[in-house]
Amino acid sequence: GTGGARASERSYDLVVFGASGFTGQFVVEEVARAAAGGELRGGLRWAVAGRSREKLRAVLERAAERLGKAALGAEVGLLLCDVGDATSLAAMARQTRLVLNCVGPYRFFGEPVVEACVENGASCIDISGEPQFLEGMYLKYNEKAAEKGAYVIGSCGFDSIPADMGVLYTRDKLKGTLTGVESFLTVKSGPEGACIHDGTWKSAVYGLADQDNLRKLRKKIGYAPVPVVGAKLKRRGLVFYNQEFKEYSIPFMGSDVSVVKRSQRYLHTELQETPVQYGAYVNIGGLGSVIKLMFAGILFLLLVKFSFGRKLLIKYPEFFSAGRFTKKGPTQKQMDGTSFTMTFFGEGYSEGTDPQNGKPNVKICTEVKGPEPGYVATPIAMVQAAVSLLEDAACLPKKGGVYSPGAAFSKTKLIERLNKRGVEFSVISKPEA
């Protein structure tokens, strides 16, 4: 049986699929670093997979060069594999314990990989920030994955490991019961500026065009409502001035809120933990930024509703995002100059106080800091999630399934591992209770 296949029967611990794509190349480099760092008991057997042998070779050469090695040659496997060819995906999944899937937009290319992994008893991690894909996979494959002993864990990049693990970290650091958290993301860039590769832009265009189907999907799943414990967290406006940071903030459009909600639902229903309410925001700067962003946002929302508009948006990402998204992606200099801070403000009830009564009486502030989000922090998060899955297996949920990161990794050493690699979790201020 595949589910019972012992690890040693498979040639590889992990395979990076889409290794020669824009993000894939950085993931390969990060895996090579982890393999060389010796943090895995018994070494790491790994491979790269994609459509072109030449491109895969080039990516391995580049990674070796960046790590200051002569080569990563012989010990790294090379699998030819195409997302459009189910047989090749099945062959890849049978040879490995875990697939790191870097082929997006996942709404178009994600499912065949999940299906191949689940059918063949391999686990699968991706870096999707697309709630519709993530929750769709839960609906379709959760039971089968449990049966086969496979863990399918989406959103293991910048979306949404800092948020999901950040909420759990905040909960664990508060003496008492955490009932509500708001996070504020600040991205700083250096003199070179920052930009994001076109792939992410495509995912956003298709995601916003398809909100109706996300609602239908959630109805189909029929989520049990998560009870509100403690004071209800108030929803903030579309734009507001933030006293703490002395700048304007807007709700964060990414997958963070939906991912955290899935983790909290799981931890509440399966482990009887108190669910935490969560709101995610991003700091955008002064009034000038607000006005620019509003114009861009209105234009985007007008165009995204029509197929002609979507074609325009996809064709000219730089124009419509005011240079924030480019077909080439960021330069090394831009990445080196960029970093993020996610600040969490938590509130709750001190030990011995009933969260069902009265106002919250303790506060806590924590943060997650890291390097450039898209292509430095994301590979670190993905690869450390992979290491946790392989090394902390005894601390994972008892059975396989489709999980959010917080649900899968709440009992593992993931936060410790991230801290060592420069995605750092810390307490900024403890409560005066």
Side-chain angles (χ1 to χ4, degrees):
T2 36
R6 285 207 333 281
S8 58
E9 287 167 24
R10 303 195 173 216
S11 323
Y12 303 111
D13 298 310
L14 71 83
V15 172
V16 181
F17 178 53
S20 54
F22 190 79
T23 309
Q25 61 183 342
F26 298 109
V27 173
V28 167
E29 194 183 309
E30 193 57 33
V31 171
R33 200 173 277 124
E39 61 218 61
L40 286 109
R41 295 183 293 259
L44 182 70
R45 304 162 307 157
W46 65 289
V48 290
R51 286 183 299 201
S52 149
R53 192 182 296 277
E54 286 65 49
K55 281 187 182 168
L56 291 171
R57 283 216 177 103
V59 161
L60 289 175
E61 272 167 32
R62 181 178 172 271
E65 196 180 303
R66 301 252 318 187
L67 265 71
K69 286 179 150 31
L72 300 172
E75 82 271 22
V76 182
L78 207 146
L79 308 176
L80 289 181
C81 189
D82 186 336
V83 76
D85 173 8
T87 319
S88 74
L89 293 177
M92 167 177 73
R94 276 197 294 274
Q95 292 180 69
T96 186
R97 294 166 62 192
L98 173 61
V99 171
L100 270 53
N101 182 12
C102 305
V103 181
Y106 292 92
R107 70 169 53 241
F108 300 130
F109 306 120
E111 182 171 354
V113 182
V114 172
E115 185 174 22
C117 286
V118 170
E119 287 297 335
N120 294 286
S123 292
C124 178
I125 283 180
D126 70 54
I127 44 179
S128 168
E130 306 162 48
Q132 199 181 327
F133 166 72
L134 297 162
E135 296 177 43
M137 293 306 94
Y138 171 77
L139 179 65
K140 269 181 108 162
Y141 296 100
N142 187 45
E143 279 166 27
K144 190 74 184 250
E147 194 183 300
K148 295 277 195 177
Y151 294 86
V152 177
I153 310 169
S155 54
C156 286
F158 178 71
D159 304 275
S160 289
I161 277 186
D164 207 7
M165 300 311 292
V167 170
L168 296 183
Y169 176 83
T170 307
R171 179 198 73 180
D172 293 343
K173 293 297 178 198
L174 183 80
K175 292 213 184 337
T177 309
L178 183 73
T179 58
V181 185
E182 291 181 321
S183 70
F184 291 85
L185 169 66
T186 307
V187 178
K188 287 195 175 62
S189 52
E192 302 277 328
C195 73
I196 305 171
H197 187 251
D198 172 46
T200 301
W201 174 255
K202 282 190 180 131
S203 301
V205 171
Y206 295 120
L208 282 167
D210 213 12
Q211 295 269 292
D212 292 346
N213 282 323
L214 180 55
R215 276 192 285 275
K216 283 182 193 141
L217 171 68
R218 285 176 174 163
K219 252 205 186 85
K220 216 186 210 162
I221 294 173
Y223 289 124
V226 183
V228 171
V229 176
K232 198 165 163 42
L233 200 60
K234 58 175 195 295
R235 304 259 321 249
R236 295 170 180 261
L238 212 50
V239 180
F240 57 95
Y241 185 73
N242 189 321
Q243 284 301 339
E244 303 277 351
F245 297 94
K246 301 280 181 273
E247 56 180 301
Y248 287 90
S249 309
I250 60 171
F252 181 59
M253 295 292 285
S255 57
D256 289 359
V257 172
S258 69
V259 171
V260 168
K261 191 159 200 174
R262 284 171 54 217
S263 290
Q264 292 302 322
R265 176 182 288 110
Y266 172 84
L267 295 168
H268 174 66
T269 52
E270 298 296 318
L271 306 178
Q272 286 68 58
E273 292 174 6
T274 304
V276 180
Q277 306 166 67
Y278 174 64
Y281 302 94
V282 55
N283 297 330
I284 56 171
L287 206 49
S289 310
V290 172
I291 291 163
K292 257 193 276 191
L293 204 74
M294 272 170 59
F295 272 115
I298 288 165
L299 188 58
F300 189 94
L301 291 172
L302 285 174
L303 288 170
V304 84
K305 290 290 172 218
F306 306 100
S307 74
F308 166 72
R310 288 195 291 278
K311 282 197 182 86
L312 275 178
L313 288 167
I314 295 290
K315 200 167 174 191
Y316 304 109
E318 264 181 90
F319 177 77
F320 287 106
S321 69
R324 297 235 169 139
F325 291 85
T326 68
K327 290 197 187 280
K328 285 199 292 288
T331 62
Q332 190 57 48
K333 261 203 161 118
Q334 282 179 318
M335 288 191 282
D336 292 342
T338 306
S339 63
F340 79 88
T341 305
M342 205 172 220
T343 309
F344 297 82
F345 297 98
E347 58 175 36
Y349 296 77
S350 56
E351 284 164 328
T353 314
D354 179 5
Q356 305 296 16
N357 284 319
K359 283 194 164 72
N361 63 354
V362 283
K363 281 185 154 71
I364 185 170
C365 176
T366 63
E367 73 178 17
V368 180
K369 280 174 109 90
E372 189 278 332
Y375 313 103
V376 188
T378 285
I380 290 170
M382 185 185 220
V383 172
Q384 293 311 314
V387 172
S388 280
L389 196 107
L390 295 169
E391 291 291 291
D392 308 340
C395 312
L396 294 172
K398 290 286 175 283
K399 52 179 208 249
V402 178
Y403 291 101
S404 54
F409 296 120
S410 75
K411 307 278 184 258
T412 67
K413 297 196 186 113
L414 178 56
I415 289 175
E416 263 172 66
R417 295 178 188 285
L418 290 166
N419 273 327
K420 286 198 184 95
R421 285 292 301 118
V423 174
E424 294 167 6
F425 292 66
S426 62
V427 176
I428 299 302
S429 67
K430 276 217 163 60
E432 302 82 56

